[in-house]
Amino acid sequence: MLPDIILRISHIIGILAIVIIVWGILVTMYRFLIYEYLRMKKHYHMHKQREILRHTFGTYLLLGLEFLIAADIIKTIIEFTWKDLGMLGGIVVIRTIIAIFLDREVEDVRHYREIEEDKEK
């Protein structure tokens, strides 16, 4: 009985991860459409906004992946197989790589903003 409850919790966490990722897609697409409309109307380049969009989506994607990892850890504890453990290891590696690149992008966006603020002063 307890393993079934824990397995259901794992499924709920997995569904939450999907909701987070889909929400991130919707938020990013909404902002993209606004930026694109403004770009067409005012004829300006979208370099700064593109970086912000990438950062926004990356944040949601990372959060969703963290929830998926949590769900997989819980599932692996209940239904331990070497295949599941290997998949979990692969997901952790992918998430770590994404986190490293996202952190680099955040630093790049921060640096770009500082340069733009210095130019405005």
Side-chain angles (χ1 to χ4, degrees), residues 12-108:
I12 291 169
I13 294 171
I15 290 169
L16 287 173
I18 293 168
V19 168
I20 290 168
I21 293 170
V22 170
W23 180 253
I25 291 169
L26 294 174
V27 167
T28 304
M29 284 305 300
Y30 174 75
R31 289 181 181 175
F32 170 76
L33 292 173
I34 290 172
Y35 292 151
E36 194 63 20
Y37 172 76
L38 292 174
R39 183 189 64 82
M40 288 188 299
K41 189 173 180 180
K42 296 181 181 179
H43 305 290
Y44 72 93
H45 295 286
M46 207 174 110
H47 178 71
K48 183 178 177 181
Q49 288 79 10
R50 185 179 65 228
E51 295 300 320
I52 292 169
L53 287 173
R54 289 175 66 190
H55 175 259
T56 300
F57 181 63
T59 302
Y60 281 105
L61 186 59
L62 248 173
L63 183 61
L65 285 173
E66 289 173 357
F67 272 75
L68 284 173
I69 290 170
D72 286 341
I73 289 170
I74 293 169
K75 182 181 171 195
T76 302
I77 290 170
I78 298 300
E79 299 176 346
F80 180 81
T81 65
W82 288 106
K83 180 182 174 186
D84 289 340
L85 190 60
M87 287 177 59
L88 180 61
I91 291 170
V92 169
V93 167
I94 290 169
R95 185 237 173 249
T96 302
I97 291 169
I98 289 172
I100 289 169
F101 285 107
L102 182 60
D103 286 341
R104 284 184 186 171
E105 285 192 30
V106 168
E107 286 302 317
D108 289 345

